């Protein structure tokens, strides 16, 4: 897969009249460079990387989740040469396909924070993108509920924060109105967010991939970035085929099969992002945030002829998450989750090789009668 991707990249260059770099022979050498050296230091790996083929490329996006795909598309639309690398066999196999598929309004983040600004702007752009590209989505609205008098001040805080963040249409409603909207709901007050919605994430990612490819983006799946090093003002990205790492002995040094020399690198590897950044030799550790891992499970409602809710239903947020909430998909399936279980002891190797799938939530079926014990 990696060899085919780079051959494709070179063909695109030649079709544009761009001469291949002096290391174009790297494509022919990829399959021959599979040696592993017996050292565990990043510096030794960097030295080893200087002996393998090198290839220049304008932009490298590491990770083909929804964020990486959106970044690749935007760069490609601006006329940049883009190469997307992902260790999995296809796009969106990690958190991008294991989430609530909710379009958030922008309520929760601290006012004037980058997250608040980007969430509000991103939500507006996402609705527009989905409408233009016929991606299944629906603005169904959300209720954040207070189930006791002690939670009402927190509900007020969320409303004030959302208003400061520029979220339109927020209003607090009484229990009677919430009951009329959702007869199965029990609460004392609720915050209504009409701007919240749901989206088909797979269709969204398919659209992003299609647009990126149509603007000459190259995708290389089954391709793992095992590290990088800095030389002067450039980052040298160490790449290997994923299949050559499956039985890797952690006592041995990972030897790259190819080194990429991009002008721009985007680390969009999700759960692996911090661990991978820590393997960039020469990158100051102070700029890399710490990683905190949690596991969450979803519960799917089954064996019922009607769905009990028509809106997203959220509790007051809790530490580490938004609490176990009710989400709907575009087929009307009801899910509850995710819960939060903090995970300790995730090692650097598992993280940067994307072997942390046990952190993703998988659905568990519930009958409607069992639902009464959760609500």
């Amino acid at each position: 897969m990696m060899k085919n991707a780079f051959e494709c990249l070179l063909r695109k260059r030649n079709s544009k009249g761009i001469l291949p770099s002096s290391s174009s022979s790297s494509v022919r050498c990829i399959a021959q460079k599979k040696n592993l050296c017996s050292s565990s230091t990043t510096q030794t790996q960097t030295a080893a990387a200087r002996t393998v083929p090198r290839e220049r490329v304008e932009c490298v996006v590491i990770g083909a989740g929804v964020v990486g795909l959106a970044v690749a598309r935007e760069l490609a639309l601006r006329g940049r040469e883009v190469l997307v690398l992902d260790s999995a066999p296809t796009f969106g196999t990690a958190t991008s396909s294991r989430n609530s598929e909710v379009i958030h309004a922008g309520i929760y983040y601290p006012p004037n924070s980058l997250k608040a600004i980007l969430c509000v702007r991103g939500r507006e752009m996402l609705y527009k993108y989905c409408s233009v590209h016929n991606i299944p989505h629906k603005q169904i609205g959300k209720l954040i509920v207070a189930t006791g008098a002690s939670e009402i001040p927190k509900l007020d805080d969320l409303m004030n924060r959302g208003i400061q963040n520029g979220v339109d249409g927020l209003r607090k409603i009484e229990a009677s109105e919430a009951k009329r909207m959702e007869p199965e709901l029990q609460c004392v007050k609720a915050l209504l967010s009409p701007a919240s919605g749901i989206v088909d994430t797979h269709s969204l990612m398919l659209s992003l991939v299609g647009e990126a490819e149509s603007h000459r983006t190259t995708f290389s799946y089954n391709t793992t970035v095992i590290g990088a090093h800095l030389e002067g003002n450039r980052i040298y990205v160490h790449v290997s085929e994923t299949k050559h790492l499956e039985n890797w002995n952690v006592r041995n040094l990972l030897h790259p099969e190819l080194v990429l020399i991009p002008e721009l690198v985007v680390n969009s590897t999700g759960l692996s992002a911090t661990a991978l950044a820590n393997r960039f030799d020469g990158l100051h550790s102070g700029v890399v945030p710490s990683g905190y891992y949690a596991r969450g499970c979803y519960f799917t409602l089954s064996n019922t002829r009607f769905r009990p809710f028509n809106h997203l239903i959220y509790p007051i947020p809790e530490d580490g998450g938004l609490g176990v909430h009710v989400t709907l998909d575009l087929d009307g399936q009801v899910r509850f989750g995710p819960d939060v279980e903090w995970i300790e002891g995730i090692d650097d190797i598992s993280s940067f090789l994307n072997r942390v799938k046990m952190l993703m939530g998988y659905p568990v079926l519930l009958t409607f009668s069992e639902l009464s014990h959760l609500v």
Side-chain angles (χ1 to χ4, degrees):
M1 176 65 76
M2 187 169 75
K3 181 175 183 291
N4 293 338
F6 282 96
E7 288 176 340
C8 178
L9 182 66
L10 292 178
R11 285 197 298 270
K12 290 177 181 177
R13 283 182 180 172
N14 293 334
S15 69
K16 294 173 69 177
I18 301 174
L19 292 176
S21 68
S22 59
S23 60
S24 296
S25 59
S26 60
V27 173
R28 297 188 295 273
C29 298
I30 286 173
Q32 302 171 8
K33 295 290 182 179
K34 302 177 183 178
N35 298 327
L36 297 178
C37 303
S38 56
S39 174
S40 59
T41 64
T42 306
Q43 290 81 3
T44 305
Q45 179 177 312
T46 298
R50 294 191 174 97
T51 67
V52 303
R54 297 184 173 194
E55 183 66 49
R56 292 184 180 274
V57 61
E58 190 173 5
C59 303
V60 169
V61 177
I62 312 170
V66 67
V67 175
L69 297 177
V71 170
R73 168 191 173 271
E74 186 65 26
L75 289 171
L77 289 176
R78 294 171 183 260
R80 308 292 289 271
E81 176 194 61
V82 184
L83 174 63
V84 181
L85 309 176
D86 197 287
S87 60
T90 188
F91 62 86
T93 62
T95 48
S96 294
S97 58
R98 294 174 172 84
N99 60 78
S100 300
E101 297 188 303
V102 171
I103 301 175
H104 285 285
I107 299 169
Y108 299 102
Y109 302 118
N112 301 315
S113 67
L114 193 58
K115 282 188 175 182
I117 295 169
L118 295 182
C119 186
V120 172
R121 183 184 174 205
R123 179 247 304 162
E124 296 168 351
M125 294 174 67
L126 181 55
Y127 276 131
K128 182 178 179 179
Y129 184 88
C130 290
S131 296
V132 170
H133 294 83
N134 297 315
I135 296 167
H137 70 288
K138 194 172 184 181
Q139 189 172 330
I140 61 175
K142 174 169 70 175
L143 291 172
I144 305 175
V145 300
T147 56
S150 63
E151 293 183 334
I152 294 177
K154 298 178 182 178
L155 205 63
D156 295 333
D157 291 341
L158 286 175
M159 181 172 179
N160 293 333
R161 184 181 302 174
I163 292 172
Q164 292 181 66
N165 288 345
V167 181
D168 297 328
L170 287 177
R171 66 184 182 93
K172 193 164 63 174
I173 61 176
E174 299 296 327
S176 56
E177 184 177 355
K179 187 78 171 178
R180 287 195 297 272
M181 295 175 64
E182 296 288 3
E184 299 292 338
L185 180 63
Q186 300 292 329
C187 67
V188 294
K189 284 186 185 295
L191 177 63
L192 174 62
S193 169
S196 303
I198 54 177
V199 62
D200 181 341
T201 53
H202 187 71
S203 296
L204 173 61
M205 289 189 285
L206 274 176
S207 177
L208 294 172
V209 169
E211 281 207 284
E213 287 184 328
S214 67
H215 288 81
R216 308 179 69 84
T217 294
T218 301
F219 286 83
S220 183
Y221 299 115
N222 296 310
T223 304
T224 298
V225 174
I226 60 175
H229 72 276
L230 275 62
E231 290 185 22
N233 62 350
R234 283 193 175 275
I235 296 178
Y236 291 67
V237 179
H238 307 173
V239 179
S240 180
E241 289 194 62
T242 302
K243 65 182 180 181
H244 298 152
L245 307 175
E246 292 175 353
N247 298 315
W248 174 54
N249 184 336
V250 297
R251 293 188 297 272
N252 293 334
L253 174 70
L254 280 172
H255 196 292
E257 300 171 61
L258 176 67
V259 171
L260 298 174
I261 312 174
E263 296 177 12
L264 174 68
V265 179
V266 179
N267 178 357
S268 184
T269 55
L271 291 173
S272 307
T274 56
L276 178 59
N278 283 324
R279 298 182 67 84
F280 281 30
D281 184 26
L283 184 65
H284 193 282
S285 60
V287 304
V288 181
S290 300
Y292 302 93
Y293 297 97
R295 170 167 46 215
C297 290
Y298 288 87
F299 302 85
T300 301
L301 184 63
S302 63
N303 297 333
T304 179
R305 294 182 179 178
F306 67 96
R307 64 184 189 189
F309 302 107
N310 295 301
H311 299 77
L312 303 166
I313 311 292
Y314 278 63
I316 299 295
E318 61 183 32
D319 290 339
L322 301 180
V324 174
H325 45 267
V326 177
T327 60
L328 312 173
D329 63 25
L330 291 161
D331 294 324
Q333 180 71 63
V334 179
R335 290 178 297 179
F336 301 85
D339 56 0
V340 175
E341 177 188 352
W342 291 104
I343 303 296
E344 296 182 0
I346 298 298
D347 60 278
D348 173 79
I349 302 304
S350 293
S351 296
F352 96 89
L353 288 182
N354 197 23
R355 293 173 180 168
V356 288
K357 288 185 172 60
M358 67 285 203
L359 302 180
M360 315 296 184
Y362 288 86
V364 177
L365 294 179
L366 281 177
T367 64
F368 186 65
S369 61
E370 292 170 320
L371 166 65
S372 61
H373 297 293
L374 296 177
V375 179

